[in-house]
Amino acid sequence: SSDSYWNERQKKHEKKKTPLLLVASTVVFAIAAVGAILHNKHSIARSRTLTQRRAHDKANDSHWKQCESRVNSRQECTIICQPERNSIHRKTMHQSCLHGCQQAHVTSTSLSCRGKVSSEEEVFLEIGGLSYVHCSKFQATDPKPDVFATCRKYHRAGIKSGFRMGLDSMKDVLDEEWAGIINGLNAEQ
């Protein structure tokens, strides 16, 4: 009968397919397993590196030096003191402004780069009292109260700006270090 002929033929054909399907599925499984293992190794290496990212409080001396060298206190204080440049007692007011601002800017930048302070309030508590010392040379300069007050006013502005610039600079230093680590990992692959 024709049905039995076709059934016999189909059974022979299935017997030939079974070893071929078994070999093909084994090969596909092996490729998938190797791919998964390689991907897993790559993920483990990346996660190990990601957990090693340096935090601000773990920065070292070379980070601090890079951070402090990136901040240009003179340029920043020149911008901050621009309004005093056009004042009536232009030269004296501008000089007192620059002096107070730069003294505070350098000190607060150093403190924030080194992670010794974490807020503006801490910076003001740490070096705000130094405004009197830093600006004392302008105490007897005419017009007397104005020049000294200007120096102290911009001393405060220098503290605020230096703190922010120090934090931003340290963040940039650590981000560049991090980018170098990531690029090194990508180059290895």
Side-chain angles (χ1 to χ4, degrees):
S1 93
S2 69
D3 285 335
S4 63
Y5 170 77
W6 287 111
N7 286 339
E8 283 292 319
R9 187 170 167 111
Q10 190 175 15
K11 286 180 185 177
K12 287 180 185 177
H13 190 62
E14 285 177 5
K15 286 180 183 177
K16 289 180 183 177
K17 273 186 171 178
T18 305
L20 184 61
L21 283 174
L22 184 62
V23 169
S25 62
T26 306
V27 169
V28 169
F29 179 75
I31 290 172
V34 168
I37 290 169
L38 291 176
H39 178 71
N40 194 23
K41 281 185 180 179
H42 174 68
S43 296
I44 290 170
R46 274 191 98 98
S47 67
R48 194 174 305 136
T49 304
L50 289 175
T51 60
Q52 293 175 356
R53 184 171 187 181
R54 192 181 308 271
H56 188 112
D57 61 338
K58 303 290 187 216
N60 58 34
D61 194 45
S62 69
H63 293 112
W64 298 337
K65 287 178 182 175
Q66 286 179 33
C67 175
E68 291 169 1
S69 69
R70 290 176 181 214
V71 177
N72 187 342
S73 295
R74 181 182 220 50
Q75 180 181 0
E76 187 64 23
C77 286
T78 300
I79 294 167
I80 292 171
C81 292
Q82 190 63 37
E84 291 303 324
R85 190 170 204 169
N86 302 324
S87 68
I88 295 172
H89 301 287
R90 182 171 42 111
K91 187 176 180 184
T92 309
M93 293 296 223
H94 190 246
Q95 286 176 348
S96 70
C97 175
L98 284 175
H99 181 77
C101 180
Q102 286 178 357
Q103 292 289 320
H105 202 277
V106 169
T107 308
S108 62
T109 297
S110 178
L111 286 175
S112 62
C113 280
R114 294 174 183 268
K116 293 186 178 186
V117 290
S118 58
S119 69
E120 278 185 26
E121 183 181 337
E122 287 181 29
V123 179
F124 286 120
L125 290 173
E126 189 76 29
I127 60 174
L130 293 176
S131 68
Y132 187 85
V133 174
H134 288 158
C135 296
S136 63
K137 76 180 212 174
F138 292 102
Q139 201 166 12
T141 306
D142 288 328
K144 281 190 182 175
D146 295 341
V147 176
F148 183 63
T150 298
C151 181
R152 292 184 71 183
K153 171 184 169 184
Y154 286 100
H155 188 274
R156 186 169 180 85
I159 290 172
K160 194 173 187 177
S161 175
F163 172 71
R164 280 194 312 265
M165 289 187 77
L167 288 180
D168 291 344
S169 179
M170 181 54 83
K171 181 184 175 298
D172 291 344
V173 168
L174 295 176
D175 285 348
E176 287 174 12
E177 178 186 58
W178 179 243
I181 291 170
I182 295 299
N183 289 340
L185 273 179
N186 291 338
E188 289 176 5
Q189 296 170 2

